[in-house]
Amino acid sequence: MRRPSVMALMMICCLVLTVTPANAAVVPGVTYRGEGTFYGATGVGNCSYDATSDTGIAALNHTDYGNSAMCGAYLRVTGPLGEVTVKIVDRCPECAQGDVDLSQAAFAKIANPVAGRVPISWRLLSPDVSGPVSYRYKEGSSQWWCGIQVRNHRNPVAKLEVRAASGWMALPRLEYNYFVSQSGAGCGADIRITDIYGQTLTDTGIAIRERVDQPGKAQFAKR
């Protein structure tokens, strides 16, 4: 079998390094472009949030949603008539990459609803948020299995860890926006979260209480 040349190996290496994963997180400081639409948003959706009277909400296309990495993120969306800030609460599986499906009220701030579909641009925000982050244990959580959700976070959450017997253990994040411990390791223990900027918050005393929002001690710094 013929061995590849050094030049061929270098070309392969470069190709691997420049490939962008399909589920890459939205990058701060980058302006994205796509189409804006609207739907009957209530706040309920793939992010597993509660219904809300807040109309500044939206669903993000499947690719940029990034397996729920953008749940709770704030976007500044610009359309033909102006700008609006929205919080991501849902996933739009049929939307193309770059598209945002807004609540009807949010869409009306950037375009005439009669248009139905308009070109937009958007970028990630690190806005003013009242109070600290909070945590919610999913229904069915116990010392043998648990799902933990982070709420009221200024910046997107990149990682959640729990303090297990062997030390800090990162939990996998599922598409419905819960970090899950399948074995129960770390359930009810200390929690450490990291945002996309590398900032960390550590909280203790967050008990296993199903469907109850428990406040942490601090909020991520504005970026």
Side-chain angles (χ1 to χ4, degrees):
M1 182 176 176
R2 189 177 178 185
R3 297 179 63 184
S5 66
V6 173
M7 180 62 70
L9 289 172
M10 290 177 66
M11 290 177 66
I12 293 171
C13 176
C14 290
L15 286 171
V16 171
L17 290 176
T18 55
V19 169
T20 301
N23 63 345
V26 171
V27 179
V30 174
T31 298
Y32 294 82
R33 301 184 187 280
E35 292 188 314
T37 51
F38 64 87
Y39 73 114
T42 64
V44 176
N46 242 164
C47 291
S48 301
Y49 294 144
D50 303 322
T52 177
S53 58
D54 183 4
T55 58
I57 53 178
L60 193 59
N61 68 83
H62 173 77
T63 302
D64 292 325
Y65 181 79
N67 193 46
S68 80
M70 290 299 290
C71 282
Y74 293 88
L75 309 182
R76 188 65 172 173
V77 182
T78 303
L81 299 182
E83 297 181 328
V84 66
T85 297
V86 294
K87 177 182 177 180
I88 298 303
V89 299
D90 201 0
R91 175 178 65 98
C92 180
E94 68 274 14
C95 291
Q97 185 172 8
D99 291 357
V100 182
D101 201 13
L102 301 98
S103 70
Q104 186 168 357
F107 184 90
K109 292 183 178 180
I110 65 165
N112 189 328
V114 174
R117 182 182 296 272
V118 297
I120 60 168
S121 62
W122 54 272
R123 56 187 174 82
L124 187 65
L125 293 183
S126 179
D128 292 329
V129 174
S130 177
V133 300
S134 63
Y135 305 91
R136 174 178 286 203
Y137 272 95
K138 188 170 174 39
E139 61 272 17
S141 292
S142 69
Q143 60 182 311
W144 297 284
W145 178 95
C146 69
I148 307 171
Q149 184 183 90
V150 187
R151 295 188 167 201
N152 197 49
H153 45 90
R154 171 178 281 125
N155 306 321
V157 176
K159 181 168 62 172
L160 183 147
E161 301 166 281
V162 291
R163 195 187 297 275
S166 58
W168 287 108
M169 179 179 74
L171 298 184
R173 188 178 199 167
L174 302 189
E175 192 173 66
Y176 57 86
N177 193 32
Y178 274 90
F179 294 87
V180 173
S181 174
Q182 295 288 357
S183 66
C187 295
D190 300 345
I191 299 174
R192 182 168 68 187
I193 57 175
T194 306
D195 71 4
I196 61 173
Y197 300 100
Q199 300 180 105
T200 62
L201 298 174
T202 303
D203 283 295
T204 61
I206 308 298
I208 302 175
R209 300 172 62 193
E210 300 179 31
R211 295 186 58 80
V212 175
D213 291 353
Q214 300 181 64
K217 297 182 178 66
Q219 178 62 254
F220 290 124
K222 194 169 183 177
R223 298 301 297 263

